Amino acid sequence: MEQSPSCLKLFGSWASSYTHRVQLALKLKGLEFEYMEEDLTNKSPSLLLYNHVYKKVPVLLHLDRPIVESVIILEYIDETWTDHPIMPIDPYERAIARFWCHFADDKLGPAAGAVFGSSGEDQKAAVCQVHENLKLIETELREGAFKGRRFFGGDKIGILDIVLGCGSYWLAVFNEVMEVKLVDSEAFPLFHAWLRDFEEQKEVKEIIPAIDTLLEYARGIRQMMLSLKDTTSSTTTTTTTAAATTAATNNSNNNLVIESGTSV
Amino acid sequence: MATAAKGVVLLDFWVSPFGQRCRIALAEKGVEYEYKEENLWDKSPLLLKANPVHKKIPVLIHEGNPICESLVIVQYIDEVWSNNPLLPSDPYERAQARFWADFVDKKIYECGTRLWKLKGEAQEEARKDMIEILKLLEGELGDKKYFGGETFGFVDVAFVPFSAWFYSYETCGNFSVEKECPKLVAWAKRCMERESVSKSLHDPHKVHEFVGHLKKMYGVE
């Protein structure tokens, strides 16, 4: 189906892994779209109008109708443009994919956000939580639902690869910025191999920002968060850190790195 | 797995609104199933094996395959048994339905828990939040018969179990759902005229009694 750019518009943010998910899906489907970069510290009236409930990116506008929440957008894209499917056909496979997409957003994402938003003993505990979550995924890859597969979607990238993949690069960034070992190739060999294969895909390379840019960005936010902790009293430190962590681990469809440390 | 390889089994807990979503969906489709009540303070080996990740109910086991997460289960039921579809056929309408079901998931239970668990300012905040959440949902319902329009659908299934908790929310939060959101109360009554709903939900006073037990357990007055 021929689609002119004006019928598809994506409101997003360059460092938002939730935005990357949608960009990747659109790319995999060969769909042209207009991209609107949002300044999350000064959200556009359009964004606030189209996503009046959460006021967050990404928002996909198709024929002037908004769709919000990244996983919902992915399913919408898949159902509207049926070439190069990203969801499995079998209902049980679909249920498994949806379950793990939820897991990525409800458990792994917030756990990674908690690592970023903490330090010392709290951070150690947060790192443990990430490892617990990765262990579960590793088990599925080794002997469970995804045994023997190169990607979660099989031979090709599917919805779960997109959801887990766009976001997992932050684990490598956090490794560097905070010198924590999140994705250990020895502890999680299959997850590590999958992530490497995912990041090698042509379309993925075109979407994910350069690692240096992400590192610089993450360092900046981390610096700001830590300096907030140092310049406030012990009571407010807890509140500030908690607020930063809460902001970092906020609702899904909220880029956890961008939102931390800023009032949005 | 030590269970029938055929048929449908639902691992559930009597008062769980998440479990009730599954019961309603199965009833709407006319699917026969075996209901297994779980003791959440002494979970069965079957539950722990069927949901090793979260160890939670509900779990639907269909032909030996476990499906977890209530909205994932409801969509699975809708896709396997295609009579009386719960999700609309149009992709945009489906996206809207998924959005509002997800909104219920994100907001209601968490806010409801704060309402009965907390006191003072924090409880007042929870009350304000709950009223805001309910008003947003009422806005989405508008003057429609159901969230699904003329037909009982996905969002109705996702939200209606929580209507049995309205009495508890009102009592803990000291407000009136009828006063704040009369259309929601009317909608809930219409839903209760459906056997799938009336047979799945419990009396609001029983729910409130259960909340009372939870409060004792957590040392909340």
Side-chain angles (χ1 to χ4, degrees):
Chain A
M1 199 195 312
E2 281 263 313
Q3 292 287 354
S4 70
S6 61
C7 99
L8 267 177
K9 203 168 181 174
L10 175 65
F11 295 83
S13 175
W14 74 271
S16 157
S17 49
Y18 302 99
T19 301
H20 299 155
R21 291 173 178 180
V22 181
Q23 287 171 309
L24 181 55
L26 291 168
K27 201 169 254 299
L28 289 168
K29 296 275 187 179
L31 295 166
E32 302 257 327
F33 62 98
E34 193 187 335
Y35 178 74
M36 305 291 292
E37 174 71 16
E38 280 286 330
D39 174 359
L40 296 185
T41 60
N42 184 23
K43 292 172 180 177
S44 73
S46 294
L47 177 65
L48 299 176
L49 173 71
Y50 292 130
N51 191 357
H52 65 96
V53 174
Y54 298 122
K55 305 173 177 33
K56 289 173 184 170
V57 295
V59 175
L60 184 72
L61 208 62
H62 179 215
L63 300 168
D64 293 323
R65 296 193 302 184
I67 304 103
V68 312
E69 295 292 287
S70 59
V71 178
I72 292 175
I73 297 173
L74 294 182
E75 289 218 50
Y76 174 79
I77 290 169
D78 204 43
E79 289 172 2
T80 307
W81 294 278
T82 50
D83 284 345
H84 312 290
I86 59 173
M87 277 289 277
I89 297 172
D90 173 69
Y92 183 61
E93 293 284 328
R94 291 158 73 83
I96 293 174
R98 286 179 179 134
F99 174 86
W100 287 102
C101 285
H102 272 220
F103 181 84
D105 280 349
D106 292 347
K107 299 285 176 195
L108 183 58
V115 171
F116 189 72
S118 59
S119 49
E121 285 306 310
D122 288 339
Q123 192 178 63
K124 277 201 189 124
V127 171
C128 276
Q129 194 53 53
V130 173
H131 287 166
E132 286 303 313
N133 291 333
L134 289 178
K135 228 181 266 181
L136 290 164
I137 300 175
E138 184 76 16
T139 305
E140 289 302 311
L141 283 163
R142 189 177 58 245
E143 57 198 58
F146 309 117
K147 185 177 174 181
R149 293 190 198 179
R150 188 182 174 211
F151 296 114
F152 293 101
D155 295 325
K156 290 201 192 135
I157 291 176
I159 193 170
L160 184 54
D161 299 277
I162 298 171
V163 167
L164 270 172
C166 294
S168 290
Y169 46 78
W170 286 118
L171 299 174
V173 172
F174 294 173
N175 271 7
E176 278 265 347
V177 170
M178 292 170 298
E179 289 163 12
V180 287
K181 202 125 198 236
L182 286 175
V183 189
D184 186 334
S185 60
E186 277 180 35
F188 312 110
L190 296 170
F191 184 85
H192 190 260
W194 159 76
L195 187 55
R196 186 203 55 217
D197 279 356
F198 174 80
E199 287 170 353
E200 280 302 302
Q201 296 297 292
K202 175 169 143 289
E203 294 87 355
V204 175
K205 280 185 177 168
E206 289 168 12
I207 299 294
I208 313 297
I211 189 94
D212 292 335
T213 338
L214 294 175
L215 278 168
E216 192 189 322
Y217 180 77
R219 282 196 179 107
I221 299 213
R222 178 81 182 159
Q223 196 88 346
M224 178 169 58
M225 277 167 48
L226 292 175
S227 67
L228 273 173
K229 273 177 75 176
D230 291 339
T231 57
T232 52
S233 72
S234 55
T235 346
T236 33
T237 303
T238 326
T239 325
T240 316
T241 323
T245 316
T246 313
T249 61
N250 218 335
N251 291 330
S252 73
N253 203 42
N254 177 2
N255 177 263
L256 45 91
V257 180
I258 286 182
E259 302 288 294
S260 62
T262 60
S263 57
V264 284
Chain B
M1 198 164 328
T3 181
K6 294 202 174 185
V8 185
V9 180
L10 181 67
L11 308 182
D12 203 343
F13 181 64
W14 68 278
V15 76
S16 163
F18 305 101
Q20 286 164 340
R21 287 168 169 176
C22 307
R23 286 176 242 169
I24 293 168
L26 288 165
E28 286 286 321
K29 303 282 186 170
V31 176
E32 300 251 328
Y33 66 98
E34 187 191 342
Y35 178 94
K36 280 197 164 149
E37 178 73 8
E38 281 286 329
N39 176 357
L40 299 187
W41 294 271
D42 184 18
K43 291 173 181 177
S44 73
L46 176 60
L47 174 58
L48 299 176
K49 188 159 187 199
N51 191 355
V53 173
H54 301 301
K55 305 173 174 44
K56 286 182 176 174
I57 57 93
V59 179
L60 188 78
I61 305 175
H62 183 212
E63 290 169 355
N65 292 324
I67 302 106
C68 311
E69 302 280 292
S70 61
L71 292 183
V72 175
I73 294 171
V74 173
Q75 287 190 89
Y76 175 82
I77 291 167
D78 204 37
E79 289 171 9
V80 172
W81 293 278
S82 51
N83 58 315
N84 296 347
L86 294 169
L87 272 170
S89 51
D90 171 67
Y92 184 73
E93 300 299 320
R94 290 161 76 85
Q96 294 311 296
R98 286 178 176 133
F99 174 84
W100 286 105
D102 178 65
F103 176 82
V104 171
D105 250 11
K106 278 183 168 60
K107 300 284 186 183
I108 300 262
Y109 194 75
E110 184 274 335
C111 187
T113 303
R114 279 189 285 135
L115 258 178
W116 66 255
K117 233 184 191 177
L118 305 174
K119 292 279 167 209
E121 262 186 60
Q123 191 186 46
E124 174 59 27
E125 170 123 22
R127 187 188 74 92
K128 284 200 186 108
D129 288 345
M130 182 55 86
I131 292 171
E132 195 183 314
I133 290 164
L134 293 175
K135 281 191 191 279
L136 265 166
L137 284 161
E138 190 179 58
E140 172 56 21
L141 174 69
D143 292 316
K144 301 200 295 287
K145 185 178 181 188
Y146 299 116
F147 282 91
E150 280 302 304
T151 46
F152 184 77
F154 190 63
V155 182
D156 303 282
V157 173
F159 185 31
V160 79
F162 291 97
S163 66
W165 292 68
F166 285 172
Y167 174 70
S168 211
Y169 296 155
E170 290 174 322
T171 310
C172 296
N174 192 26
F175 68 99
S176 159
V177 179
E178 172 104 50
K179 188 160 161 259
E180 301 286 346
C181 301
K183 287 180 180 174
L184 279 189
V185 171
W187 160 81
K189 283 200 180 107
R190 284 195 293 276
C191 291
M192 283 295 280
E193 287 166 12
R194 302 179 80 80
E195 206 177 291
S196 63
V197 177
S198 61
K199 291 213 157 144
S200 302
L201 266 51
H202 288 282
D203 184 275
H205 289 91
K206 263 201 119 176
V207 173
H208 190 56
E209 210 180 285
F210 175 75
V211 171
H213 288 309
L214 288 177
K215 281 168 92 157
K216 271 206 195 103
M217 261 175 54
Y218 286 93
V220 181
E221 272 148 52

